[in-house]
Amino acid sequence: MASRTNAPEKRRGFFSQIRSLLVFTKDVYSWMPWLLIGILVVGAGIGVLIGFLIPPFQIWSVVLWGFMGLMFGFMMSMMTLTRLSTSAMYKKIDGMPGAAGHIMSSALGRAWVSSDMPVGVNPKTQDAVYRAIGRGGVVIVGEGARGRLTRLINDERVKVQRVAAGVPVHVLYVGHGEDDVPIAKLSSTIKRLPNKIDRATMAAVLKRVDSVSQSVTSLPIPKGIDPMKARAQRPR
């Protein structure tokens, strides 16, 4: 009988994370590897050129500057890979049920409190409503067709206004229609909201809203987003 071990799970290495990022991003941007190679070559080339131009000419100086240029190119390629992997993630989850909840629970930072679970959902159409609370007030985000979301949005707005009178309530719709917010800009749109309440009021609003929130855990939650597969891991 095999003995159990309490040893912690071994973390993935740096190069293993880089490989995962490359595979993940290449699925959307097939030209990405050539761009990264080009950045490395240009960086090394600029370093070598600087080594030739700085007098007096010495071979060790050219090699040193070439190596420094290569390291600069590597840093720039990693920054480019990170940005492209984030863009690829948004492209992959755009239009999928649950995408808004995934972004709100992972990309808003500590200034906002949200969850990947909807506060209102239509199990037949998979239209869902999500909520975030922060210094900017309360943000209600609708995911789905506007016409079908009207009742869910209004119910959540009335519930919030009943227990948090005077607190700003913002309504956003995720999509590509007029006045809609693309999923790639959802987190930045929420973060740009000006601060309207202090931290003490925010904490009080959180408690009041949670106290009247009805659990939707028994309802079918829209499927389609697997955060472990949709989110690109950044190298550490």
Side-chain angles (χ1 to χ4, degrees):
M1 180 176 180
S3 59
R4 296 184 179 180
T5 176
N6 294 326
E9 183 180 354
K10 186 177 180 180
R11 293 182 58 180
R12 300 174 63 188
F14 175 78
F15 291 103
S16 177
Q17 295 183 43
I18 293 296
R19 182 178 180 276
S20 297
L21 270 181
L22 289 170
V23 173
F24 177 87
T25 310
K26 186 181 177 182
D27 188 44
V28 177
Y29 302 113
S30 58
W31 44 262
M32 178 268 304
W34 299 107
L35 174 62
L36 300 184
I37 293 174
I39 294 175
L40 288 174
V41 172
V42 170
I46 292 176
V48 170
L49 180 62
I50 293 175
F52 273 107
L53 294 178
I54 296 180
F57 171 78
Q58 292 180 333
I59 189 62
W60 65 266
S61 178
V62 175
V63 173
L64 178 61
W65 277 103
F67 178 77
M68 292 178 62
L70 181 63
M71 291 298 98
F72 178 76
F74 179 77
M75 181 180 66
M76 294 303 297
S77 65
M78 289 299 98
M79 294 175 60
T80 302
L81 175 60
T82 299
R83 293 179 65 89
L84 287 176
S85 65
T86 301
S87 176
M89 178 196 70
Y90 285 127
K91 286 181 175 294
K92 284 190 175 185
I93 69 176
D94 190 11
M96 297 175 65
H102 173 57
I103 297 300
M104 293 173 66
S105 63
S106 61
L108 292 183
R110 298 181 178 180
W112 292 85
V113 178
S114 186
S115 171
D116 59 350
M117 297 291 291
V119 294
V121 62
N122 185 330
K124 293 183 178 180
T125 63
Q126 293 190 336
D127 297 325
V129 172
Y130 299 86
R131 181 185 63 228
I133 300 176
R135 296 287 301 279
V138 180
V139 179
I140 301 173
V141 177
E143 180 183 73
R146 282 203 180 207
R148 299 194 301 260
L149 283 167
T150 301
R151 181 175 179 179
L152 290 173
I153 292 288
N154 289 338
D155 288 346
E156 184 63 23
R157 187 187 349 228
V158 170
K159 180 175 61 180
V160 171
Q161 291 175 337
R162 185 170 64 247
V163 298
V167 175
V169 178
H170 311 274
V171 177
L172 303 175
Y173 292 88
V174 174
H176 297 282
E178 186 178 358
D179 298 328
D180 287 349
V181 179
I183 191 67
K185 297 182 178 180
L186 179 59
S187 62
S188 60
T189 299
I190 296 177
K191 290 178 180 179
R192 283 199 303 265
L193 293 174
N195 293 342
K196 294 295 184 179
I197 59 178
D198 54 29
R199 295 186 182 279
T201 303
M202 174 183 165
V205 171
L206 278 168
K207 292 182 179 179
R208 294 173 186 172
V209 173
D210 286 342
S211 66
V212 299
S213 294
Q214 296 180 357
S215 174
V216 296
T217 56
S218 60
L219 296 177
I221 302 302
K223 300 183 183 298
I225 289 294
D226 185 346
M228 297 304 295
K229 295 181 179 179
R231 179 171 53 199
Q233 298 180 357
R234 296 186 178 183
R236 298 179 180 177

